[in-house]
Amino acid sequence: MTTDVLGSPVKRVEDPRFITGKGRYLDDIQMTGMTYMAILRSPYANANIRSIDTSAAKAMPGVILVLTGADVPYNPLPMAWPAGGSSGVQNNINMPRALATDDVKWTGEGVAAVIAETPEQAADAVEVVHVDWEPLPAVVDTEGATQPGAPQLHENAPNNVVFVWTVGDKAGTDAAVDAAEVVVRQRIVNQRLIPNPMEVRGDIGLYNPGTDEYTVWMSSQTPHIQRLLLTAFVTGIPEHKVRCISPDVGGAFGTKIFCYADMALVMLASKLIGGRPVKWVETRRENYQSTTHGRDHVTYLEIAGKRDGEVTGLRVKTYANLGGRLSTIGPGVPTTLYARVLAGCYKIPNVYCEVTGVYTNTTFVDAYRGAGRPEATYVIERAMDLFAAEIGMDRAAVRRKNFIAPDAFPYDNPSGLGTAVNGEKIYIDSGNYEPALNKALMTVGYDDLDKAKAEARTRGKHLGLGLSTYIEVCGVAPSKWIGAVGEGWGAAMWESANLKVHLTGKVILTMGTQPQGQGHETTYSQIIASELGLAMDDIIVQHSDTLGTPFGYGSYGSRTSSVGSTAAIKAAGKVREKARRYAAHMLEASVDDIEVVGAEYRVKGSPEKKKTLQEIAFALDLGFSLPEGMEPYLDETAYHDTPNCTWPFGTHIAVVEVDEDTGKVDLVRYVAVDDVGNKINPMIVDGQLHGGIAQGVGQALWEEAIYGDDGQLLSGSMLDYALPRASWMPNLELDETVTPSPVNPIGVKGVGEAGTIASTAAVANAVIDALKPFGVRHLDMPFTAPKVWRAMQSQEVRS
Amino acid sequence: MTEQVRLTVNGVPRDVEVEPRRLLVQTLREDLGLTGTHVGCDTSQCGACTVHLDGRAVKSCTVLAIQADGHVVTTIEGMAPDGGLHAIQAAFWAKHGLQCGFCTPGMIMSAADLLESNPDPTDDEIRHAIEGNICRCTGYHNIVAAIREAASTLRAGTDVPAAANA
Amino acid sequence: MIPAAFEYDRPTTVAEAVDILARNPGTAKVLAGGQSLLGLMRLRLARPERLVDIGGLAELRGIRALPDGGLAIGALVTYREVLDSALATSRVPLLAMAIADIGDVQVRNRGTVAGSIAHADPASDMPAVVLALEASLVVRSGSGERVVNATSFFEGAFVTDLAEDELLTEIRIPAQPTGVGMAYRHLEQPASGYSIVGAAAVVGRTGGSITTARIGVTGVADAAYRASAVEAALIGTDGGAAAIAAAAAHAAEGVAVGSDIHADAIYRAEMARVHVRRAIEAALGAAG
C-alpha cells in the first residue's frame, strides 16, 4: 500500500526528464520571433556617466532597439527588507535602476541594453555603445569604506554606512565581558563568495498588445514575489496584468530570490518592439558581476567566560559589505538572519551584536545558501575553539558544557530572537545536542586523534580535526513575528497549496513554492500519497507559474518542507474531510460513522459499505447529487502560517591534512550527524546535506571573490574562482539523530542549508587545528595553499 | 557569411548553415533544438556542454560547429535512442546523482567516456574523470555512487529495459 | 560567450595553410584543437580576423617512432592520443605523467600537444616537458622547413620563436639516454587547473653519480625554462636527498618570478624549489 511512502527513499519523479536532456530551463525555451537582449555593463567601479551615444549600435545589423537609463520609465528596484527594527536606525536605501542613469557604483552595473535579431548581433552591437565616463576613485574594503577620507558612494550615506543595527543586551554583555575571568578577542573575516548555480539567470519578456498583458519567464525562486515587486514597486503595471513563470531552475542558492533589473528590461523591451519575445541570458562573466554575491563580513568577536569552560558573554561587532547599491533583502541577511542566532546551540546568558552595513564599489551582496546563519555559525564555532584553546580545555568538552540542556526548551535565546517590539517572540523549540556530538566523535575516532596526527607526520602531512556543533533556523516564521520585529515591508511567510481531485481520480497539487533542484515534485507527491492513500503516479505537482498556482512566497531559507508541506497537508485534510462528508451522503450514513482507511471511506462496522476517493471525486465533481450546502468538486486550498521556525542541529567534523612543503590542504574525511527531524525522503535529505557540505567546504578551502583596489573583479570567471571539484571531495559519512519538530504535523525541519551552515566552520577549525604546531591561533579563509604555507613559516604565536 | 555544415547527430545526418563563429553547442541547442546540452560558463570550465565528438567527450562550447563538419556527434538525447535509459542514466536516477539536473547531461556524457575505456574504475578514477564537470548541488557523493553502479551494471552486461525504469 | 566574427579557412595541405598565413600576416591564427584559442575568443580577449583550421591536414596526424628510438608527434595529435599510445607512453613516459593531469578529459580529448606549445601559455605544462626532453620543434613556412630546439623556442608569455607565417608541424623527441628516470610534479591553480608551478625532470645516474639532469620548469616565469643552475648543481653528485635539495634550491634562479592573485612571487619561487626537488626525487626513483 502507498501510505508508507512518506519517509521512503523514493526515486525522484523529476529525474526522467533531467537524465534524458528533456528538462526545460529558461534558455531552452524557443519562440517564434524571439529577439535577444545584451546588456552593456560598466567597466568602472565608480564613475559618472556624462553621456551615452547609441547611434553606432543602432546602425549595427539586426539591431531592433537600444535602451539607456533615460528610456526606462520605471522606479528603482525595490528594497524588501531594510534593517532598522529594534535599533530604530534610519536606513539609507540606494537601489539599482533597470539601467543606470547618472552614475555607476560597481563594475558590471548595467548602463545600456541592445535588442537584436540574434544573440550574435546583440553581442556585437553592445560593444559599440559609447559611454563618456568620468571615472572616480573606488573603495572596495569594507572597514576602509567607513573611515574618514574614503570615497563617498551616496550622499545619503555618510561614511558609506547603510545602517548600524544592534541586538541583545549591551549593558549586560559589557558587564559580563568586564567581569570575566577570560576574554578572547579575534578579528575574523568571512570572505565574499560568488554563489554559482550551474544555470545562470535569464528572463524572457513577452508583451501581448491585444490584452495589454505581460508574461515573464524567469529563472527564479520566487515568481509570485517577483510579480508583486515588478508591478507594485518597479513598473507600476497592475499586478493582474503580469504573469510570471519559472521553468526548471538549474540551481539558485539564494541568488534567484531577488528582483533584478533585467526582469523589468525584458518587459519594457517587448512592449516597445510590439510584443515580440525578448530573451536575455547572462553569461557566466555577467553572473559574476551582476548577480548577487554572498557573505563578506569583517567581525570582531569577544567571547568571555570562566576557566572551568562556562561561557558567560559574547560581544560581536560586524561590518557587512552590501555592495554599491542594495539588493532586494540585502540588509536583512547580516542583521536578523545572522545576529539573532549568533549564540548557536549554547546557553550564553549575555549576547550583544552590532552590525554596520556598508556600501562599497562592489556587486551587491544578498542571501547565499544559509544567508546569515553560516556567518553566525562561523563566528560562534571559531569563538568556541578560541575559548577552548585559551583555557586549555578540550574543544568537545567546552561545547558540551555550554549546550542548551535538552529540558530547557522552549529556549528564549538572548541574542535577540525574542526582542520584537510588541512582545512577539520565537523560541528555539526543541533540541538535544549532545547525542549528535557524541555520535560524530565516535564515528571519527576522536579519542585516537593524536595517533592519527603522528601517523600523518610520517607522510609529510599535518593532520587537523575540526568540530562544528551548529543549529539552524529554517522556515522563518510566523508572519506575526516577522511583522513585529519591525523590519521588512511586512512580507508574511505563510505558504499555500491547492489540491484538486479530478473526475478521473487524478490529483493535481499546485504550490506557491518553487523548486530549484530539491525534488519538490517528489516530496509533495509522497506527502499527498500518504495523506490520501493514493499511488504517487496518480498525483502531479504543479508550481512555478503565477497563473494557476496560489500566491506563495517561494523557496528559500529551507522553508518548503516545513511551511509548504504543512500547507499541502492542510489542503489534503480539507479534501479528506469533504470527501468524508460526501461519502456519508453517498453511503447514506452519518458523517461521524465514516472512517477513512487509505483511499477508502468506510462505514464503521460495515466495511463492505465503502467508497474510494476516486468514486467520491467522480460523483462530487459531476455534482448530480449534492447534500444540502455542499459545493461541487473536490478542490481545496489551504494557507499555512507556521507557529514557529524549525531548529535543525547537529555536529559536523572535518579532518584535513596540510602538506608540509606546499601548504596545500586536503579534506580527507567528513563526518556529519544531523538532526533534521523526520524525513519525507531520506535520499533527498542526504543529497541536500552532501551538496550543502560541499558548498561550505568550498568557502573554507577555495572560494573567494577578489576585487582589485580599483574595483575590478579579479576573480571574474571560473578560471579564477575555484568551485569544488569531484576529486577534491571525499565520500561523506552521514549519520543522524531524530528529534521531530513540534511545529508541523510530520515533524520535519528543513535541510536545504544545514550542510553549508555547519561545514565551513568545521573545515576552518580543522585547518587551524592542523596548524597548531606552528602557533597559529586563527587564519582567515579560504585556506589556499599559499596562505597556509605562509602561516607555517612563522613559529610566532599570532594574535 | 555562412557555411554549410553536415553533422551526424545521434545517428541522423543534419545539414545546418552556420557562421564560422557559431559554437557547436549553439548549433545543437538553437539550430537543432537539442537543448539537453547546456551552457554553464564561458571559460570551458563547467562541462555542462559535454557531448561526444567521434566517440570522445568534448566541451561543445569550445568546438566550432564548422570544426565538427563531417563528424559524428552524440548528445544526451542520443544516449538511449529507443526511449529507454542508458545504464548510466538509470544509475543517476537510482542513486540520486542529480538535483537541479543542469550539469547532469554533461556529467553523464563524461561518465560514458570513462566507462568506455575503463569499465571498472576506482572511486578516485571516477572523481578524476569528472573533474571537467562542475556540479554545485550534489557534492559529487551520489554522482560517484551512480557511476560506480553504472559501471557494475555495464560490466554485468545487463540491458536496462525501458519498463524497468518506470 | 560568442566570439567576434572572423573569416574561416580550412586548407587541405600544409602548403596551403602556410600560404594563407603568409598572405594574412598578423591577422590570422591557426586553429587546431582550439582548447586555448577558442576560450580567449569567446571572452573576446582574442579577436583574430581569420582562422586557419588545420584540423583537416592528414599529414599532421599521428605519432611516429623515430629510428633513433625517439618519437615524432604530429601537430594534430591530441593529449588523449598520447595517453592511449603504447608507443608514446613506453618510449617517453614523461609525456603521460604530465598529460594525465592536464585540463580534464574533455580538454585532453580535443586539445593538442603542439597547440599548447605554440600557444605558450606561461602556466601550461607541455613546455616544461619538451624542454626536459630536449625535443625539437619542426616548423614550416612558405620558404621551407626549419627545426628549432625547444630550449630556444619559448620567448615569453604567449610569445615563441614562431613567425607569423610559420606553422608548427611536428614535435620530435629524441631517444632519452638509457637508464634515466622521468617525472612530472606540479601544483595546480585550483580554479583553472593550470600550473602555478610545474617541474619536469629527466635524470639519470652512471656509476653512482648523476650524469644526466634536465629540468624544465613552467608557471614560474613568463616563459617555461630549463633550470640550468639546478642541473649544474646536480650533475656529479650522488643524487642523495641532500644533494637534490641543494640543487633544487636553485630552481627559480635567474628568472623573474611571476605573481598573481593565486600565488605571490615568494610562494611561487618556493614551490618551484619544492616541485623541482620532488620531480628529481621521483625521476631518480623511476630510473633504472
Side-chain angles (χ1 to χ4, degrees):
Chain A
M1 194 50 211
T2 51
T3 43
D4 60 358
V5 69
L6 189 67
S8 298
V10 181
K11 286 203 292 184
R12 300 202 317 171
V13 301
E14 293 87 344
D15 288 1
R17 68 179 187 267
F18 293 137
I19 56 180
T20 55
K22 305 287 194 312
R24 198 166 169 79
Y25 303 90
L26 189 283
D27 197 23
D28 300 339
I29 299 170
Q30 296 174 345
M31 291 180 203
T32 307
M34 188 79 92
T35 67
Y36 299 87
M37 183 168 83
I39 296 176
L40 176 69
R41 301 193 175 277
S42 165
Y44 296 106
N46 196 12
N48 291 326
I49 300 168
R50 292 201 192 94
S51 64
I52 303 177
D53 180 359
T54 60
S55 53
K58 283 176 174 157
M60 290 284 281
V63 171
I64 305 164
L65 179 71
V66 181
L67 294 172
T68 67
D71 304 318
V72 181
Y74 296 157
N75 295 320
L77 301 179
M79 168 43 58
W81 195 347
S86 52
S87 62
V89 175
Q90 171 77 45
N91 284 282
N92 307 288
I93 302 303
N94 296 284
M95 302 302 294
R97 291 187 165 273
L99 291 169
T101 48
D102 304 316
D103 51 25
V104 293
K105 300 301 183 194
W106 79 89
T107 304
E109 188 167 4
V111 289
V114 172
I115 290 86
E117 298 287 349
T118 70
E120 287 88 347
Q121 289 167 338
D124 291 346
V126 82
E127 288 192 316
V128 300
V129 172
H130 179 75
V131 182
D132 185 8
W133 294 105
E134 181 193 356
L136 301 168
V139 60
V140 299
D141 174 60
T142 311
E143 284 182 280
T146 65
Q147 299 304 305
Q152 301 289 297
L153 270 67
H154 303 284
E155 277 182 13
N156 61 5
N159 299 318
N160 300 312
V161 171
V162 191
F163 57 77
V164 177
W165 180 97
T166 66
V167 73
D169 173 7
K170 183 172 192 318
T173 305
D174 287 349
V177 172
D178 289 347
E181 290 174 22
V182 180
V183 181
V184 188
R185 298 182 169 85
Q186 182 64 49
R187 177 184 188 270
I188 66 175
V189 176
N190 197 298
Q191 83 274 26
R192 177 181 288 239
L193 302 179
I194 302 178
N196 274 294
M198 292 320 296
E199 184 208 21
V200 294
R201 290 190 318 99
D203 325 288
I204 300 167
L206 179 65
Y207 174 71
N208 182 336
T211 60
D212 194 30
E213 292 173 357
Y214 298 79
T215 304
V216 190
W217 288 261
M218 48 177 62
S219 185
S220 173
Q221 300 170 244
T222 52
H224 285 280
I225 304 251
Q226 293 325 312
R227 177 172 68 172
L228 174 63
L229 297 179
L230 286 166
T231 56
F233 296 89
V234 182
T235 66
I237 296 163
E239 189 175 1
H240 61 296
K241 293 281 196 179
V242 176
R243 172 184 176 191
C244 292
I245 302 170
S246 283
D248 285 330
V249 175
F253 311 118
T255 61
K256 298 177 182 177
I257 299 172
F258 316 119
C259 188
Y260 286 97
D262 39 87
M263 296 169 176
L265 282 175
V266 295
M267 293 171 69
L268 175 66
S270 180
K271 178 168 189 181
L272 292 177
I273 66 173
R276 287 179 67 182
V278 177
K279 181 192 270 191
W280 175 80
V281 178
E282 66 184 352
T283 64
R284 182 58 67 178
R285 191 173 172 78
E286 281 184 293
N287 175 269
Y288 275 30
Q289 291 189 338
S290 53
T291 284
T292 52
H293 293 177
R295 318 280 191 255
D296 208 349
H297 289 192
V298 176
T299 290
Y300 292 85
L301 75 84
E302 297 169 280
I303 182 166
K306 300 180 184 166
R307 296 232 162 249
D308 69 359
E310 183 186 341
V311 177
T312 55
L314 180 69
R315 189 164 64 188
V316 173
K317 180 171 170 57
T318 292
Y319 294 87
N321 192 341
L322 295 172
R325 305 186 202 273
L326 301 179
S327 169
T328 313
I329 64 164
V333 175
T335 52
T336 280
L337 292 178
Y338 162 71
R340 292 185 194 275
V341 289
L342 255 179
C345 52
Y346 308 110
K347 83 180 171 300
I348 303 177
N350 300 287
V351 180
Y352 178 72
C353 180
E354 177 189 296
V355 182
T356 303
V358 183
Y359 285 116
T360 66
N361 294 110
T362 59
T363 298
F364 38 26
V365 179
D366 209 318
Y368 166 53
R369 199 171 195 170
R373 291 150 291 165
E375 296 92 316
T377 303
Y378 188 64
V379 169
I380 187 64
E381 289 304 297
R382 282 298 302 127
M384 294 307 280
D385 264 25
L386 287 162
F387 181 67
E390 182 69 25
I391 62 173
M393 192 165 165
D394 176 73
R395 295 169 286 170
V398 166
R399 285 171 167 81
R400 228 178 245 124
K401 185 172 180 77
N402 290 283
F403 279 152
I404 302 162
D407 60 1
F409 297 97
Y411 179 73
D412 189 0
N413 172 327
S415 70
L417 290 168
T419 56
V421 284
N422 66 356
E424 289 296 344
K425 289 188 173 194
I426 52 176
Y427 298 90
I428 302 178
D429 58 23
S430 59
N432 188 7
Y433 305 134
E434 205 167 328
L437 173 63
N438 293 341
K439 212 168 187 177
L441 291 171
M442 182 73 78
T443 303
V444 82
Y446 188 65
D447 291 342
D448 295 328
L449 178 58
D450 288 342
K451 213 185 294 173
K453 286 188 176 199
E455 186 280 325
R457 287 302 302 127
T458 67
R459 295 181 284 110
K461 306 285 186 187
H462 297 279
L463 183 142
L465 179 149
L467 296 176
S468 173
T469 51
Y470 76 99
I471 59 165
E472 179 186 3
V473 47
C474 290
V476 171
S479 299
K480 64 180 179 182
W481 178 79
I482 292 163
V485 293
E487 293 156 13
W489 48 285
M493 285 289 206
W494 42 260
E495 219 19 275
S496 61
N498 172 268
L499 187 60
K500 293 183 174 72
V501 187
H502 289 285
L503 274 125
T504 59
K506 301 299 180 191
V507 175
I508 299 179
L509 176 72
T510 54
M511 296 296 302
T513 51
Q514 163 65 46
Q516 316 119 45
Q518 299 92 332
H520 293 179
E521 292 165 29
T522 305
T523 50
Y524 283 138
S525 291
Q526 288 180 259
I527 287 169
I528 298 303
S530 168
E531 288 290 319
L532 297 183
L534 300 174
M536 281 178 67
D537 281 351
D538 289 333
I539 302 158
I540 197 163
V541 178
Q542 296 178 341
H543 47 77
S544 313
D545 186 343
T546 58
L547 176 68
T549 64
F551 186 96
Y553 285 88
S555 290
Y556 45 85
S558 304
R559 64 192 302 273
T560 301
S561 65
S562 167
V563 192
S565 294
T566 309
I569 289 166
K570 273 186 163 173
K574 287 183 175 181
V575 161
R576 206 168 42 234
E577 191 46 38
K578 185 170 180 181
R580 201 164 147 255
R581 284 190 287 125
Y582 195 71
H585 174 71
M586 292 174 88
L587 295 165
E588 296 178 333
S590 91
V591 175
D592 291 342
D593 284 343
I594 302 293
E595 62 176 0
V596 184
V597 180
E600 289 184 355
Y601 294 69
R602 301 174 182 163
V603 178
K604 282 178 196 163
S606 314
E608 74 289 351
K609 291 183 72 179
K610 64 186 181 189
K611 293 287 177 187
T612 65
L613 184 64
Q614 287 87 348
E615 290 167 330
I616 295 165
F618 181 76
L620 178 52
D621 291 354
L622 275 175
F624 290 161
S625 165
L626 293 170
E628 186 65 28
M630 183 177 285
E631 295 171 359
Y633 230 85
L634 202 42
D635 176 351
E636 296 290 340
T637 298
Y639 291 82
H640 177 67
D641 194 9
T642 194
N644 196 353
C645 314
T646 56
W647 302 91
F649 62 86
T651 296
H652 286 213
I653 301 182
V655 180
V656 301
E657 289 183 359
V658 177
D659 185 289
E660 64 181 3
D661 291 331
T662 65
K664 183 167 179 287
V665 179
D666 289 323
L667 178 65
V668 296
R669 273 188 81 188
Y670 198 94
V671 173
V673 179
D674 293 283
D675 191 318
V676 298
N678 292 331
K679 298 174 182 178
I680 300 167
N681 183 325
M683 178 189 80
I684 288 177
V685 166
D686 285 357
Q688 288 293 312
L689 288 166
H690 293 151
I693 288 166
Q695 278 181 335
V697 171
Q699 169 163 26
L701 295 184
W702 308 292
E703 298 183 34
E704 183 174 29
I706 301 171
Y707 281 95
D709 289 342
D710 58 357
Q712 295 299 317
L713 181 59
L714 302 179
S715 55
S717 79
M718 285 186 185
L719 289 168
D720 288 302
Y721 186 94
L723 296 164
R725 304 254 175 181
S727 57
W728 308 343
M729 292 294 298
N731 282 318
L732 304 169
E733 304 168 52
L734 303 189
D735 205 340
E736 63 174 7
T737 64
V738 181
T739 309
S741 168
V743 302
N744 59 65
I746 50 176
V748 298
K749 295 183 185 172
V751 69
E753 296 160 302
T756 309
I757 288 168
S759 62
T760 302
V763 177
N765 285 340
V767 173
I768 291 161
D769 181 51
L771 297 178
K772 206 158 74 177
F774 300 91
V776 173
R777 196 180 87 146
H778 178 76
L779 197 62
D780 285 322
M781 302 181 290
F783 302 107
T784 61
K787 189 187 284 184
V788 171
W789 177 81
R790 192 167 282 278
M792 292 194 297
Q793 302 314 301
S794 168
Q795 299 284 335
E796 291 169 39
V797 175
R798 279 139 215 275
S799 59
Chain B
M1 184 202 66
T2 58
E3 310 239 3
Q4 195 73 27
V5 168
R6 166 163 283 208
L7 314 170
T8 301
V9 181
N10 300 332
V12 181
R14 307 292 296 261
D15 293 304
V16 286
E17 208 165 284
V18 297
E19 268 192 274
R21 63 166 153 170
R22 198 151 182 83
L23 305 169
L24 178 58
V25 68
Q26 291 178 285
T27 286
L28 293 172
R29 290 176 50 79
E30 294 160 34
D31 300 327
L32 302 178
L34 295 168
T35 55
T37 302
H38 299 146
V39 176
C41 76
D42 43 17
T43 52
S44 311
Q45 295 293 302
C46 80
C49 66
T50 302
V51 300
H52 287 192
L53 183 60
D54 298 331
R56 296 289 198 209
V58 302
K59 291 177 178 171
S60 62
C61 72
T62 314
V63 178
L64 299 173
I66 201 165
Q67 286 179 287
D69 188 18
H71 294 268
V72 174
V73 179
T74 307
T75 70
I76 186 68
E77 291 91 343
M79 282 298 278
D82 60 353
L85 293 179
H86 187 281
I88 301 174
Q89 292 170 315
F92 268 69
W93 191 11
K95 291 292 176 184
H96 190 32
L98 64 148
Q99 290 178 28
C100 82
F102 197 80
C103 76
T104 310
M107 201 65 87
I108 288 172
M109 300 312 286
S110 287
D113 186 310
L114 167 71
L115 297 184
E116 193 112 321
S117 52
N118 182 356
D120 192 10
T122 63
D123 279 11
D124 281 350
E125 286 168 338
I126 293 171
R127 289 179 181 276
H128 187 66
I130 57 171
E131 268 199 325
N133 295 77
I134 298 177
C135 171
R136 194 61 159 162
C137 291
T138 64
Y140 304 103
H141 183 102
N142 284 343
I143 291 177
V144 174
I147 298 174
R148 200 191 298 131
E149 164 144 316
S152 147
T153 308
L154 289 167
R155 282 199 309 279
T158 324
D159 284 336
V160 183
N165 300 300
Chain C
M1 174 67 199
I2 301 171
F6 52 83
E7 302 290 317
Y8 175 84
D9 289 302
R10 186 159 41 186
T12 52
T13 63
V14 170
E16 192 189 338
V18 296
D19 181 54
I20 297 168
L21 290 175
R23 283 187 286 107
N24 297 277
T27 58
K29 289 288 281 181
V30 174
L31 177 68
Q35 298 304 287
S36 300
L37 179 60
L38 293 177
L40 292 172
M41 289 175 63
R42 287 170 56 207
L43 295 174
R44 299 197 174 194
L45 297 172
R47 322 173 62 118
E49 289 174 21
R50 178 176 295 272
L51 283 191
V52 184
D53 181 354
I54 60 169
L57 303 183
E59 53 198 298
L60 302 183
R61 299 203 168 280
I63 301 171
R64 291 184 296 124
L66 292 175
D68 71 345
L71 206 60
I73 298 173
L76 288 176
V77 171
T78 63
Y79 295 120
R80 177 67 175 263
E81 286 168 338
V82 174
L83 291 177
D84 287 350
S85 158
L87 176 68
T89 50
S90 63
R91 285 201 175 181
V92 191
L94 180 61
L95 288 170
M97 292 171 179
I99 288 172
D101 232 13
I102 288 179
D104 46 55
V105 68
Q106 297 96 316
V107 168
R108 294 192 292 270
N109 282 341
R110 187 87 190 137
T112 63
V113 176
S116 164
I117 289 167
H119 187 63
D121 188 312
S124 63
D125 301 286
M126 289 321 297
V129 171
V130 292
L131 282 168
L133 293 170
E134 297 204 321
S136 43
L137 307 170
V138 182
V139 167
R140 283 267 292 279
S141 71
S143 48
E145 185 174 287
R146 68 187 178 103
V147 178
V148 192
N149 193 307
T151 48
S152 50
F153 187 77
F154 303 104
E155 299 180 344
F158 308 103
V159 182
T160 68
D161 181 54
L162 268 184
E164 283 170 351
D165 64 343
E166 285 182 323
L167 180 68
L168 173 59
T169 57
E170 191 170 80
I171 301 154
R172 287 190 193 145
I173 300 168
Q176 301 298 302
T178 28
V180 295
M182 309 177 185
Y184 191 74
R185 289 292 182 271
H186 71 141
L187 179 69
E188 278 188 6
Q189 192 264 75
S192 69
Y194 278 89
S195 289
I196 288 175
V197 166
V202 176
V203 189
R205 279 194 190 92
T206 313
S209 66
I210 304 283
T211 48
T212 302
R214 295 194 237 116
I215 315 294
V217 179
T218 191
V220 176
D222 68 345
Y225 60 93
R226 278 280 289 270
S228 34
V230 176
E231 296 171 1
L234 195 60
I235 297 278
T237 69
D238 63 355
I244 294 172
H250 301 287
E253 236 169 63
V255 295
V257 179
S259 175
D260 61 25
I261 58 170
H262 301 291
D264 64 19
I266 292 172
Y267 182 71
R268 242 195 188 81
E270 175 63 14
M271 289 308 103
R273 293 186 278 269
V274 167
H275 288 83
V276 163
R277 170 169 59 75
R278 289 179 172 183
I280 295 170
E281 285 168 352
L284 278 174

